[in-house]
Amino acid sequence: MPKAVAGPEIERLIQLLARLPGLGPRSARRAALHLIKKREQLMTPLADALAVARQKIVVCTTCGSIDTRNPCTVCTDPRRDASLIVVVADVADLWALERAGALNARYHVLGGTLSPLDGVGPQDLTIEALVSRAHGEEVKEVILALSATVDGQTTAHYITDLLQDAHVRVTRLAHGVPVGGELDYLDEGTLSAAIRQRTPI
Amino acid sequence: MPKAVAGPEIERLIQLLARLPGLGPRSARRAALHLIKKREQLMTPLADALAVARQKIVVCTTCGSIDTRNPCTVCTDPRRDASLIVVVADVADLWALERAGALNARYHVLGGTLSPLDGVGPQDLTIEALVSRAHGEEVKEVILALSATVDGQTTAHYITDLLQDAHVRVTRLAHGVPVGGELDYLDEGTLSAAIRQRTPI
C-alpha cells in the first residue's frame, strides 16, 4: 500500500501480517482489510488472544513444549504412559502426532535438528535434558520421531549414541508408503524401505 | 490441535488466525507457532498494531475508504485532482490503483457491487453519497473502475444512469490485453474488445 493512501498504522499492520508464514504482501493486505471489516468479530478477539498468549504462553521446562502452564498439560497428564518418550524436533510435530492419535506417550521437543551448515549444534537443542530424562527410572522406550531428512537422521544417530548408557529401547518411525499414496509418485528410497520393511497381511 | 496438548488460549489463537483469508487450519497452526517463537519480534508488535488499528481506524465519511483519520488522507490531500473521482468497489481496489500509480485523483469506495442474488441493493452501497459528490462543482469526471464481471458492469450501468443529471463525464476502464499477457491464453471477449479498442502506435 503506498504511504499516501492511509495512516501509517494500517501499513504497519500489513507489514507485520506479511511476516506470518503463509502470508505474502498481497495476502497480508487482504488479511488486514478482512480484520478491519470484521473489527468486532475478529480484530478485537485476535488482539485479545495475542495479548493473552504473550502473557501466558511458556515453554515447559521438562519437555520443551509450549503451553500456558509449566510443567505442561502433557507432562502432568497422569493418563499418559510415562515409560514412553517421543522425541520430536518441533512443537508442530508434537501436535501432528497428537492429531494422529496413535500414541498416549510423553514428548520431548528438541527445538530443531542438528545442522552443522546452519550452525545448530547439540548445545542449541534440548538433547542434554532428554538424556537426563531417559535415565529416569520409569522410562523404557524413546521413539525418535524425526524427519527423514539428512539433518533429522543425523540428529537421530547422535541421540541414539548418547542413549546407549541409558537402559531404554531406542526406536524410530517406520519408513514406507504414505497411507493413500500412489506408488508411481513415490521416490525410490521410500519404495525400497517399504519393500525391506514389508509386513505380513 | 487436540485439546489435551496445551492450554485453551493457544487453541483460541489458532482458531482466530484460521479465520484470516489465505490461512487454513494447518497454516494457522504454523502461524501461531511462529508468533509464539517470535514473541518479542512479532507477537508483541502485532498485538499492539491490532490494538492501535482497533482504536484508530475509521471509515472516511466522504469517500468510504479506511484510514486513521476522517476525512481520510486521500480526501484531504491538496495535491490530488479534485475534479476526478475514481469509483471502486472496495478499499483493496483503491490500494491496487494507487500501487499502479496511474492516477492522482480522489476515490469513492462503494463497499461492494450490486448483486441481486446476494441481496445487495443500491441502499447497501455508498451510491447516494457518490451521486451527491458528483454534483459538486469541482467534479468533472467520474471513472468507474469496477470489475469486468456481471455484477461490476451492472453496477457501472446503474451508476451511469444516476449520473446523467450531474454534469460530469462518466468513463470506465479500458478492456484489452493485460500487460505481459499471452494472446493464446486470453478469452474471446477480451480479445474482441482489444481489437475494437485498438490504438495507433
Side-chain angles (χ1 to χ4, degrees):
Chain A
M1 186 185 55
K3 270 166 195 161
V5 172
E9 295 86 351
I10 297 175
E11 207 190 351
R12 170 138 180 88
L13 179 61
I14 293 171
Q15 280 174 353
L16 289 167
L17 286 171
R19 284 167 56 192
L20 290 177
L23 288 183
R26 189 174 289 259
S27 46
R29 281 193 298 267
R30 280 180 58 217
L33 281 176
H34 189 76
L35 282 166
I36 291 166
K37 277 183 198 158
K38 307 259 175 191
R39 195 185 306 210
E40 292 314 313
Q41 305 99 302
L42 190 53
M43 188 191 269
T44 303
L46 184 58
D48 294 344
L50 283 169
V52 168
R54 169 169 52 169
Q55 281 185 343
K56 288 202 176 178
I57 289 179
V58 287
V59 173
C60 173
T61 43
T62 306
C63 75
S65 183
I66 55 159
D67 202 337
T68 44
R69 50 198 265 198
N70 178 18
C72 72
T73 313
V74 171
C75 284
T76 51
D77 185 348
R79 289 162 305 180
R80 286 180 182 263
D81 185 354
S83 73
L84 192 56
I85 295 179
V86 182
V87 178
V88 290
D90 218 327
V91 177
D93 302 330
L94 187 163
W95 290 357
L97 286 168
E98 282 296 300
R99 281 199 302 282
L103 282 159
N104 189 32
R106 303 223 167 137
Y107 287 90
H108 193 86
V109 180
L110 292 177
T113 46
L114 293 176
S115 177
L117 283 178
D118 298 326
V120 181
Q123 72 287 351
D124 300 312
L125 308 178
T126 60
I127 292 179
E128 204 178 305
L130 170 64
V131 173
S132 129
R133 278 182 81 189
H135 278 87
E137 270 192 9
E138 74 276 28
V139 180
K140 290 187 182 124
E141 181 173 355
V142 172
I143 304 180
L144 301 176
L146 299 169
S147 293
T149 57
V150 172
D151 285 350
Q153 294 311 301
T154 306
T155 313
H157 283 298
Y158 183 85
I159 292 174
T160 308
D161 285 348
L162 287 182
L163 292 182
Q164 280 193 330
D165 298 338
H167 297 287
V168 291
R169 196 177 157 219
V170 182
T171 55
R172 64 169 188 187
L173 298 185
H175 287 308
V177 182
V179 176
E182 295 193 49
L183 285 199
D184 57 347
Y185 285 102
L186 277 175
D187 63 295
E188 295 77 11
T190 305
L191 281 176
S192 305
I195 292 283
R196 278 197 309 275
Q197 300 173 26
R198 62 193 179 277
T199 55
I201 298 179
Chain B
M1 189 185 56
K3 271 168 196 160
V5 172
E9 295 87 351
I10 298 174
E11 207 189 350
R12 172 139 178 86
L13 178 62
I14 294 171
Q15 280 172 354
L16 288 167
L17 287 170
R19 284 166 57 193
L20 290 177
L23 288 183
R26 188 175 289 258
S27 45
R29 282 193 296 270
R30 278 179 59 217
L33 280 175
H34 189 75
L35 283 166
I36 291 166
K37 276 181 199 159
K38 308 258 175 189
R39 194 185 305 210
E40 291 315 313
Q41 305 101 303
L42 191 53
M43 188 192 268
T44 303
L46 184 58
D48 294 343
L50 284 169
V52 168
R54 166 167 59 167
Q55 280 184 345
K56 289 204 177 176
I57 288 177
V58 287
V59 173
C60 174
T61 45
T62 305
C63 76
S65 182
I66 55 159
D67 202 336
T68 44
R69 50 197 264 196
N70 178 19
C72 71
T73 312
V74 172
C75 284
T76 52
D77 185 348
R79 288 163 303 178
R80 284 178 185 265
D81 184 354
S83 72
L84 192 56
I85 295 179
V86 183
V87 178
V88 291
D90 217 328
V91 176
D93 301 330
L94 188 164
W95 290 358
L97 286 168
E98 283 293 305
R99 280 199 302 282
L103 283 159
N104 190 30
R106 301 222 168 139
Y107 288 89
H108 194 85
V109 181
L110 292 177
T113 46
L114 293 176
S115 178
L117 284 177
D118 297 328
V120 180
Q123 71 288 347
D124 299 314
L125 308 178
T126 61
I127 292 179
E128 207 179 302
L130 170 64
V131 173
S132 131
R133 280 182 79 189
H135 276 88
E137 271 191 11
E138 74 276 29
V139 180
K140 292 189 183 122
E141 181 174 355
V142 172
I143 304 179
L144 301 175
L146 299 168
S147 293
T149 57
V150 172
D151 285 351
Q153 295 311 301
T154 306
T155 312
H157 283 298
Y158 183 85
I159 291 175
T160 308
D161 285 348
L162 287 182
L163 292 182
Q164 280 192 329
D165 297 338
H167 298 285
V168 291
R169 193 175 161 226
V170 182
T171 55
R172 65 168 188 187
L173 298 185
H175 286 306
V177 182
V179 175
E182 294 194 47
L183 286 199
D184 57 346
Y185 286 103
L186 277 176
D187 63 294
E188 294 79 8
T190 304
L191 280 176
S192 305
I195 292 282
R196 277 197 311 275
Q197 301 172 26
R198 62 193 178 278
T199 55
I201 296 179

